[in-house]
Amino acid sequence: MSSASSDTHSFVATNAASSGIKLDKKKLKAMSRRSDRPGLIYLAQWFAFLIVTGAMIPLAINYTPESWLLGASIWANPVLWLAMLVYGIFLSVPSYSLSHETAHGTAFKTRWLNETVLWFTSLIYVEEPLHRRYTHTNHHTYTWFVGKDSQMPFDTPMDFKGWLLEITGLGLAQFHLRALVRLTVGNFSPMMLEVIPEAELPKLKRNARIFVLIYAALAALVIMGQIWPLLFFVIPRIIGAPVMLLFTLIQHVELQENSPSIVQSTRSFTTSWLGRFLYMDMNNHVEHHLYPQVPFYALPDLHIAIKDQLPENDPGFWRTNLQVLSVVFRRSLGRNTKAATIRQAPHMITDGSYERVAGKTM
């Protein structure tokens, strides 16, 4: 069973102080200094990847062996689906990462640039930008507190059914669409009213209505016979989302709920240069939660500065996700849930019997 439920806990704001982590103030100030240059370089690199991978889509359409199609439409072309998957990964993961970093206001020093990128990346991520910002601020304030963290996306401990709901993107899509509808009509949920300043609510409603109009325009283009919205946005966004969600899943899964210590509730992991690029160095996730004012490009330096106070990173993006999959699958079968190499909260390691603790949807 998870630790205590939300109604028996006094909530403590989660940060470096609550976690017992210390860093020299001068070092922290230097690392927290903002600059436009790293963010602009990242944008240029992202656009380059999108152009290169996006160019694979029309090439794949032209490369259509008759032995594969057998008279069918272009959608029967496996090369096209592979091209859309690769492009979709580069569309989905960095749009999530940039919307996250700009929600913090740390991607760029220039405010209008930060807010513009937040708006457009949130459009791709399908979450109104100020809703993104304020719910994420709450997530940092009450990290992994059941019933208090407004971005706690799944029930914990997680089982295989919950893993499938999370990784396929069905759970996140349901939440995003429900939130978008609520904002569009001005029917704000209790969570929204709790974490979003009242003065900001009209802005959220306006943004949500603009989002809906843009999505409706894309749908209208498809109905009129234009397939490029499907090729370059809708399908890539859907099939690229699972890779994005594999990154986000391992941020907190199998770790301690209702703890004031970020070290207990949050995971950092190693990954390749490509993973670090796609995720904007947020694999240093413990470090990010301890000091969210530190921009993405300073997280590797922050890791070095405090690594002696932290547990070792879990071993690799794919290895960590495979360990999580193994644990949740065995939990669903009623078997032992001890992971071989990744960190787990003690109560997550059982002989198979557990009780579910409902967390708020992300």
Side-chain angles (χ1 to χ4, degrees), residues 61-137:
I61 293 174
N62 293 329
Y63 184 68
T64 311
E66 291 183 5
S67 59
W68 288 350
L69 288 182
L70 299 176
S73 71
I74 62 169
W75 304 114
N77 183 354
V79 177
L80 172 61
W81 285 93
L82 178 60
M84 288 192 294
L85 172 61
V86 174
Y87 170 76
I89 292 170
F90 281 96
L91 178 70
S92 300
V93 186
S95 66
Y96 163 84
S97 302
L98 269 168
S99 70
H100 166 264
E101 188 73 10
T102 51
H104 278 282
T106 51
F108 303 93
K109 181 178 180 179
T110 302
R111 181 171 175 78
W112 71 262
L113 181 57
N114 191 90
E115 298 306 290
T116 300
V117 174
L118 169 62
W119 205 93
F120 283 101
T121 54
S122 296
L123 182 68
I124 299 171
Y125 184 56
V126 195
E127 182 176 13
E128 191 282 328
L130 295 179
H131 184 270
R132 176 94 168 109
R133 170 167 287 154
Y134 288 112
T135 57
H136 191 67
T137 298

Side-chain angles (χ1 to χ4, degrees), residues 41-266:
I41 291 173
Y42 185 88
L43 274 181
Q45 292 173 327
W46 183 36
F47 290 157
F49 275 117
L50 288 177
I51 291 169
V52 171
T53 57
M56 296 167 54
I57 294 174
L59 290 175
I61 293 174
N62 293 329
Y63 184 68
T64 311
E66 291 183 5
S67 59
W68 288 350
L69 288 182
L70 299 176
S73 71
I74 62 169
W75 304 114
N77 183 354
V79 177
L80 172 61
W81 285 93
L82 178 60
M84 288 192 294
L85 172 61
V86 174
Y87 170 76
I89 292 170
F90 281 96
L91 178 70
S92 300
V93 186
S95 66
Y96 163 84
S97 302
L98 269 168
S99 70
H100 166 264
E101 188 73 10
T102 51
H104 278 282
T106 51
F108 303 93
K109 181 178 180 179
T110 302
R111 181 171 175 78
W112 71 262
L113 181 57
N114 191 90
E115 298 306 290
T116 300
V117 174
L118 169 62
W119 205 93
F120 283 101
T121 54
S122 296
L123 182 68
I124 299 171
Y125 184 56
V126 195
E127 182 176 13
E128 191 282 328
L130 295 179
H131 184 270
R132 176 94 168 109
R133 170 167 287 154
Y134 288 112
T135 57
H136 191 67
T137 298
N138 171 266
H139 168 64
H140 273 268
T141 304
Y142 299 111
T143 300
W144 226 234
F145 269 80
V146 178
K148 193 70 174 177
D149 182 346
S150 58
Q151 287 190 331
M152 197 168 183
F154 47 76
D155 290 348
T156 179
M158 175 178 270
D159 59 16
F160 184 63
K161 180 180 178 181
W163 183 89
L164 284 175
L165 188 66
E166 179 71 8
I167 294 304
T168 58
L170 293 175
L172 184 62
Q174 182 183 41
F175 171 71
H176 280 176
L177 293 176
R178 185 185 296 123
L180 193 62
V181 170
R182 278 186 171 275
L183 292 175
T184 300
V185 301
N187 180 21
F188 306 112
S189 69
M191 181 274 291
M192 293 173 181
L193 295 173
E194 179 182 353
V195 305
I196 302 169
E198 184 178 358
E200 294 283 78
L201 292 174
K203 297 178 185 177
L204 276 80
K205 183 162 66 172
R206 178 202 64 199
N207 285 335
R209 289 177 175 178
I210 295 172
F211 273 31
V212 169
L213 286 174
I214 293 172
Y215 299 144
L218 292 174
L221 286 171
V222 173
I223 292 171
M224 291 187 294
Q226 296 291 327
I227 66 169
W228 65 263
L230 293 176
L231 292 171
F232 292 99
F233 180 65
V234 179
I235 295 175
R237 177 63 182 79
I238 292 172
I239 64 178
V243 176
M244 173 190 75
L245 292 164
L246 285 172
F247 276 102
T248 61
L249 173 70
I250 56 178
Q251 293 173 354
H252 306 285
V253 70
E254 293 298 308
L255 295 173
Q256 184 68 53
E257 314 94 330
N258 305 328
S259 171
S261 173
I262 293 298
V263 174
Q264 293 180 354
S265 67
T266 307

